[in-house]
Amino acid sequence: MMPQPDLNDDRNSVEPDSIPLQDIQPSWKPLLWFGGSFIALIALWEVFLELGMNIFTLLFDVLENIWLVLIEAPEEVLEDLLEDWLKNHFPHEADRYSEIATAIGLTPLKLALIFFVARWGWRWARAKVWLRVRRWFHIRVTEVKLAWAELAWPYRILGGLLVLALLVLLI
């Protein structure tokens, strides 16, 4: 049995077309895993939906706390320092002016930070993650195609009829 192609090998191109076919072994495992996962997803849809909502809520809470600690807390400290300084010149409206000054001064910086982090994340995902996912998917599809090509034609016909029967039953 030949070893699987290394998905993390940056020396080679990450393009799916660059994978030599002799390195990919025929296998039905990817198809069986996909089918089993798909059936489990349908059978446990409500559980996955509830779990997904809980994970989304947890992720939102974590991101909100990170935002509060890294962005809002320093802004409030700066606002308090500015308010203390402004009390000497505008004692009755120091809190209002400090709020306005930090809002006008820091909002563009926060927007720029969000923009640059989102741009970096998008570029990184497109340059690294998407290409590796595409390559992994291409390898799995090629494994199933090669396994299908090794089948004798009566088994291919039987497999095609089973797939058609499943499609008719599901529709």
Side-chain angles (χ1 to χ4, degrees):
M1 183 173 187
M2 294 190 68
Q4 287 289 328
D6 186 15
L7 294 176
N8 296 321
D9 189 9
D10 287 334
R11 292 175 295 152
N12 299 330
S13 173
V14 191
E15 290 297 319
D17 300 333
S18 68
I19 305 165
L21 280 178
Q22 64 268 18
D23 289 347
I24 301 175
Q25 296 297 313
S27 175
W28 289 106
K29 281 184 181 179
L31 184 63
L32 295 175
W33 272 101
F34 174 75
S37 300
F38 188 68
I39 290 170
L41 181 67
I42 291 172
L44 299 171
W45 177 250
E46 290 295 324
V47 173
F48 287 129
L49 189 63
E50 186 68 29
L51 178 67
M53 289 301 293
N54 288 339
I55 289 173
F56 179 74
T57 304
L58 177 69
L59 181 65
F60 183 75
D61 288 343
V62 167
L63 289 175
E64 182 182 26
N65 286 333
I66 289 172
W67 177 263
L68 287 174
V69 168
L70 293 179
I71 304 297
E72 292 298 326
E75 181 181 341
E76 288 297 322
V77 169
L78 183 64
E79 189 176 306
D80 291 342
L81 291 172
L82 186 60
E83 182 179 351
D84 291 341
W85 183 82
L86 285 174
K87 280 185 182 178
N88 297 331
H89 305 288
F90 308 99
H92 298 293
E93 297 183 355
D95 57 341
R96 182 171 152 249
Y97 288 155
S98 66
E99 188 80 34
I100 292 170
T102 53
I104 291 173
L106 294 180
T107 301
L109 292 175
K110 290 193 287 187
L111 291 174
L113 173 71
I114 292 170
F115 173 75
F116 286 120
V117 168
R119 191 176 107 184
W120 169 82
W122 176 255
R123 287 182 176 181
W124 177 76
R126 284 193 55 203
K128 301 283 185 191
V129 176
W130 173 245
L131 292 177
R132 287 187 179 160
V133 166
R134 214 170 105 203
R135 183 176 186 190
W136 180 87
F137 184 74
H138 179 72
I139 290 171
R140 302 292 92 75
V141 168
T142 305
E143 286 175 349
V144 173
K145 282 182 181 178
L146 291 173
W148 178 261
E150 287 184 354
L151 281 180
W153 67 269
Y155 293 114
R156 288 185 189 182
I157 293 173
L158 182 62
L161 289 175
L162 284 173
V163 168
L164 284 175
L166 278 172
L167 287 175
V168 167
L169 288 175
L170 292 176
I171 294 176

